[in-house]
Amino acid sequence: MTNTNADLPTFTGPVFRPGDAGYDAEIAGFQTAYHHRPAVVVGAAHAEDVRAAVEYAARQGLPIAVQATGHGLSVAADGGVLISTRRMTAVSVDAAARTARVAAGVRAGALIDAVAHGLAPLNGSSLSVGVIGYHLGGGLGLLGRTFGYAADHVRSMEMVTADGRLRRLTPGDPLFGAVLGGVGNYGVVTALEIELVPVTTVFGGQLVFDTHLVEPALEGWRLWTQDLPEEMTSAITIMTMPDVPAIPEPVRGRYLATVNIAYTGSAADGERLVAPLRRIGPRLTDDLRSMPYAETHGIYRDPDFPHAYAATNALLSDLTADAAAAFLDTTGPQSPVPVVAGFRHLGGALRRPGPADIAVDHREAEYIARFITAPESGGTAVRDRHDLIAKALSPWTIGHSLNFLYGAQEWAGAEQTRAGFRPETYDRLAALKAEHDPANLFRLNRNIVPAA
């Protein structure tokens, strides 16, 4: 049995063991359905702390997990070393070069606040998501159809590999391409240099349709997305709102469809483009407007408080009327498990090939279907519901996005991870894993197994 009480190196940041004051707070993350239970937690203050923690874990033969915000946690580490990067929050911006350098613990909201000068990052819909984890999963962003995957806009990265080396990786290095899309299975990324885009305002917001218009709203949105410019990125979310006092009375407890709009063109053109959606019928909410980029989190209004969730997704070759009907049949109010369901429109710049070797596959997908449930709401019924939805969409499914897999990894294991890649891409990633981490020290949520 490995001796986890062996002498630790000296760290700038704190170190916690089970039973220590602060241990539970340090392992807590945004996802509350699962919790790491490591033997040692290193609260890294900088890259040298990360390097020393990796070196220690390798010497002791201990597996390594990493957590910044805990949004993507689905398979909890039991034992081993957890490297907590939440203290690594440095952000620097080079406006002339249109780049930003972010440390491992930076969240999207902090990055947006730091970026000015008429520029914006390619973040996702939530302010509290970690910037690095988001990019390592590909980064399907708020303006995805206009600018493509965020991973394609990474200039360089700094990463500690299993041998305890802090490396700087740039395009052309095989590890650079493997890490971006491969969810960081090769080390701990301590910093990214990312490109910024020249966006100051976005026309967007929400159109919310009441129960009797949910089906027409989905069909109207589906048809509307078939002929749109790349400047328009949108989604539709369908759910029964919780019947709790925190939800405003007009929508509390109601089955609703919400269309999310993010358009990088002029407000006048945006109004013209969304006119067919407004013709679907009256809206409970219609707050489309031209907004500063810093206010775009209001387009989705993702929950900003820790909670439990399980989710999976399907990348679709098409969204036909039959696919939409099958989706509604399995996710509607009649479902024994409450489901937050919906589609995001892909295509546009997301379809373009990325830089060589970037491990973001299935770019030909036209839509992504997402379904989220509360794990405690039904036990095995949650898994059964996920499986039923996936089966309903299987005729159009070409793969999965690893950014949006939460909890289902426990159920489907390696198959879920493999489905995120083409077979040849997965084989390449597994070979690099065998070369750079043969002992499989980095056992992350979407683990890639070293090739035999």
Side-chain angles (χ1 to χ4, degrees), residues 324-340:
F327 196 67
L328 284 180
D329 286 346
T330 52
T331 62
Q334 75 284 354
S335 169
V337 175
V339 182
V340 179

Side-chain angles (χ1 to χ4, degrees), residues 108 121-126 129-154 180-181 221 232-235 262 293 300 302 312-316 342-352 358-370 399-406:
L122 293 175
N123 56 279
S125 58
S126 171
V129 166
V131 173
I132 285 185
Y134 163 79
H135 280 78
L136 300 191
L140 180 55
L142 198 68
L143 307 178
R145 280 176 46 82
T146 307
F147 295 104
Y149 287 97
D152 294 345
H153 297 265
V154 175
L180 293 170
W221 178 82
M232 177 66 77
T233 303
S234 68
Y293 191 83
Y300 283 86
D302 292 340
T312 187
N313 64 85
L315 289 164
L316 306 179
F343 300 93
R344 291 194 184 191
H345 186 206
L346 305 180
L350 294 164
R351 193 183 293 116
R352 296 174 192 153
I358 297 291
V360 179
D361 281 347
H362 307 308
R363 293 174 184 249
E364 70 275 22
E366 293 294 335
Y367 300 86
I368 183 169
R370 297 181 61 198
H400 299 289
S401 167
L402 298 187
N403 262 152
F404 299 127
L405 286 178
Y406 314 119

Side-chain angles (χ1 to χ4, degrees), residues 369-383:
R370 297 181 61 198
F371 28 109
I372 306 169
T373 55
E376 68 272 17
S377 64
T380 58
V382 173
R383 175 176 180 175

Side-chain angles (χ1 to χ4, degrees), residues 44-54 66-68 83-92 100-106 131-133 136 154 156-161 164-169 179 184 186-194 442:
H46 44 57
E48 177 55 28
D49 276 353
V50 174
R51 193 204 62 75
V54 170
V66 185
Q67 179 167 291
I83 301 175
S84 171
T85 62
R86 66 178 63 178
R87 293 167 183 79
M88 299 173 63
T89 57
V91 181
S92 59
R101 183 184 185 278
V102 295
V106 174
V131 173
I132 285 185
L136 300 191
V154 175
S156 66
M157 71 176 70
E158 295 165 21
M159 182 174 76
V160 178
T161 46
R165 289 176 54 197
L166 176 61
R167 306 177 185 225
R168 184 175 185 272
L169 305 175
V179 171
Y186 309 91
V188 184
V189 176
T190 58
L192 288 181
E193 182 187 10
I194 58 175
F442 299 104

Side-chain angles (χ1 to χ4, degrees), residues 26-79:
E26 193 69 26
I27 64 174
F30 192 83
Q31 165 70 280
T32 62
Y34 315 95
H35 298 279
H36 291 304
R37 299 302 301 179
V40 179
V41 185
V42 176
H46 44 57
E48 177 55 28
D49 276 353
V50 174
R51 193 204 62 75
V54 170
E55 190 176 62
Y56 164 79
R59 188 168 63 247
Q60 300 298 318
L62 297 173
I64 300 168
V66 185
Q67 179 167 291
T69 68
H71 278 74
L73 176 62
S74 61
V75 179
D78 186 11

